[in-house]
Amino acid sequence: MNFDIVQSFRDHGWLKETEQKLDRKMRFAVGKAREVSWMPYTTENGRWKETRIGWWTNGFWPASMWQMYRMTGTELYREEALRAENMLDEALRNFKNLSHDTGFMWLIHSGVRYALEKSPESFDRTLFAAEMLAARFNPNGFIRAWNGEGREGWAIVDCMMNLPLLYWASEETGDPRFRLIAMAHADTTLRRFVRPDGSCNHIVIFDPETGEYLENPGGQGYQSGSSWSRGQSWALYGFVLSFLHTGEPRYLEASKRVADYFISEITEDWIPRCDFRQPEEPALKDNAAGNIAACGLLELAGALPETEGRGYFEAAVRILQAQEASDANWAADDPAVFTRCTSAWHDIPGRHMTMTYGDYFFIEAIRKLQGDRLLFWYPNR
Ligand code: GLY
């Protein structure tokens, strides 16, 4: 982060009020998490709804706990992070069920705990997660996303956010192969997913034998050729993270291209539609896309000279404030904060739901605005 820009916002009243609201809400959320034996993801009737261990979102709860621990110094949050980290070992034991999402699942809490406390078991979990991700690399230049027969050649834009786990593994072990895999995948994403106008495909299917491009289905967006906003936010943030880990300017340029497009699509109310090319009705929104993009914009702002970065910083703050004013539930009647996250355009029960990662990225953005220099996607920096 460029801390000169952040400095100007540090004493903002909104930031201080939001910190207090988050602490109240997250203490309540921890109480509710301790009533159940599963990892929080979404809520129903004021409680955490049952979610299986191994689901790709599992890492966001302990990562939120580490962010809150750093914000408040309250031991309750650290204890809850460790409880969740231990719970996740079941997913390591059932490793055949893991997808490419091991970065989301371990780097941002086990990797963070290792950086903070040098805990050997957290190191082992994070390295194991990296080995599992590296093992999914197809030498045609992409990381296989999901399991299941027929999906050998499927890659998705979300994977850009898992690459920091591979960079971490190279930095920690001294073995370049993890980084080389990450860069091969990032280059394929740049070539095959990011369009000239800065919009992105969600899924690209390659022939797994030859690497030939086959097709790009609509995935979680409206249709093929449309523009799923969360996919755009994964690309925006993922590319700037690849830049921070490698120093390669092409990744910074890619992040800027996606960011410019993203900003141009949201200026009406600063809350992203689920798909930027969806029909007018239903008017689906996705708070998760907004909060992820805000984190990426803040890192982008920090990676650029101040004159160029300031616009991205201001866009991030506008998104966070607009979403908070419109969609945050601070009441103690539900453990989650953001109410208009959307899992996928065609998933009707998943429209305007709560999600731990919608909330996680908001907390991460608030921590950046408060000046915390620990980047959870680069905890060993
Ligand atoms: N990575 C899956 C999603 O964003 O829904």
Side-chain angles (χ1 to χ4, degrees):
M1 286 293 294
N2 179 333
F3 284 90
D4 293 341
I5 304 185
V6 171
Q7 198 63 36
S8 60
F9 200 74
R10 284 280 278 280
D11 296 323
H12 200 289
W14 177 80
L15 195 57
K16 293 195 180 302
E17 275 168 34
T18 305
E19 174 181 341
Q20 287 163 8
K21 287 177 182 167
L22 273 173
D23 190 25
R24 272 199 303 274
K25 184 76 168 193
M26 296 311 281
R27 281 173 192 264
F28 173 74
V30 172
K32 289 287 174 192
R34 290 184 170 185
E35 289 174 4
V36 299
S37 56
W38 50 85
M39 192 76 88
Y41 162 47
T42 188
T43 56
E44 192 174 58
N45 303 324
R47 300 188 73 211
W48 293 112
K49 189 176 170 185
E50 185 162 358
T51 303
R52 72 177 167 85
I53 294 290
W55 181 236
W56 76 277
T57 58
N58 284 175
F60 291 108
W61 177 248
S64 298
M65 295 297 102
W66 279 112
Q67 294 282 7
M68 291 306 301
Y69 176 65
R70 287 178 67 77
M71 184 188 288
T72 64
T74 304
E75 189 57 25
L76 171 82
Y77 293 126
R78 182 178 166 279
E79 280 168 13
E80 181 60 11
L82 302 196
R83 187 180 79 92
E85 184 179 4
N86 286 327
M87 211 192 299
L88 247 179
D89 281 351
E90 186 186 325
L92 291 177
R93 284 193 292 278
N94 293 325
F95 67 91
K96 289 196 296 295
N97 294 334
L98 291 174
S99 70
H100 68 147
D101 282 325
T102 56
F104 285 123
M105 290 176 74
W106 280 281
L107 179 65
I108 56 178
H109 63 101
S110 294
V112 165
R113 182 179 171 209
Y114 176 68
L116 295 174
E117 303 184 348
K118 291 286 166 270
S119 142
E121 67 267 27
S122 294
F123 180 85
D124 289 354
R125 287 166 176 139
T126 316
L127 186 59
F128 186 85
E131 296 280 9
M132 292 301 298
L133 180 56
R136 302 181 75 86
F137 183 65
N138 181 312
N140 287 305
F142 65 90
I143 293 172
R144 176 181 178 171
W146 296 319
N147 301 340
E149 205 181 323
R151 288 177 160 182
E152 294 81 1
W154 288 44
I156 70 173
V157 73
D158 321 30
C159 192
M160 286 304 301
M161 291 297 290
N162 288 312
L163 302 186
L165 175 65
L166 297 176
Y167 298 125
W168 174 92
S170 275
E171 290 153 16
E172 288 293 330
T173 64
D175 183 342
R177 73 194 154 96
F178 299 99
R179 173 175 39 81
L180 295 174
I181 287 172
M183 291 176 74
H185 184 87
D187 289 337
T188 298
T189 307
L190 192 45
R191 209 170 50 250
R192 290 296 191 185
F193 286 72
V194 185
R195 306 179 188 128
D197 68 356
S199 67
C200 306
N201 294 317
H202 177 207
I203 301 174
V204 172
I205 305 179
F206 300 98
D207 182 321
E209 290 286 353
T210 64
E212 183 196 350
Y213 167 91
L214 297 178
E215 59 174 309
N216 67 299
Q220 285 164 257
Y222 177 58
Q223 63 183 14
S224 177
S226 72
S227 171
W228 177 48
S229 62
R230 197 156 66 250
Q232 324 302 292
S233 66
W234 293 138
L236 189 173
Y237 197 6
F239 274 112
V240 74
L241 290 171
S242 272
F243 168 73
L244 293 176
H245 279 277
T246 65
E248 288 294 337
R250 63 184 181 279
Y251 301 144
L252 185 64
E253 286 305 313
S255 178
K256 272 169 53 179
R257 182 157 31 119
V258 179
D260 292 343
Y261 166 79
F262 194 98
I263 293 168
S264 74
E265 289 290 334
I266 61 170
T267 47
E268 193 177 293
D269 62 358
W270 297 89
I271 304 175
R273 301 184 293 290
C274 167
D275 190 313
F276 292 135
R277 295 175 190 163
Q278 70 190 17
E280 288 212 351
E281 294 295 334
L284 290 184
K285 295 287 192 178
D286 183 17
N287 295 145
N291 292 334
I292 297 159
C295 285
L297 290 167
L298 290 173
E299 290 302 328
L300 192 52
L304 293 166
E306 182 168 350
T307 43
E308 200 182 352
R310 186 160 287 281
Y312 296 116
F313 176 85
E314 285 168 3
V317 170
R318 292 190 81 154
I319 294 170
L320 295 167
Q321 291 188 321
Q323 297 216 115
E324 193 271 323
S326 162
D327 297 329
N329 169 15
W330 297 116
D333 59 5
D334 189 294
V337 180
F338 283 92
T339 55
R340 285 201 292 172
C341 303
T342 294
S343 92
W345 200 91
H346 292 282
D347 173 15
I348 291 169
R351 292 174 170 179
H352 292 180
M353 62 188 282
T354 60
M355 288 173 171
T356 43
Y357 60 100
D359 293 356
Y360 168 78
F361 283 99
F362 183 77
I363 303 170
E364 185 185 306
I366 294 299
R367 293 299 297 141
K368 291 182 199 298
L369 292 174
Q370 290 174 325
D372 190 347
R373 289 168 188 247
L374 180 66
L375 177 54
F376 278 34
W377 308 90
Y378 201 162
N380 53 338
R381 184 156 59 163

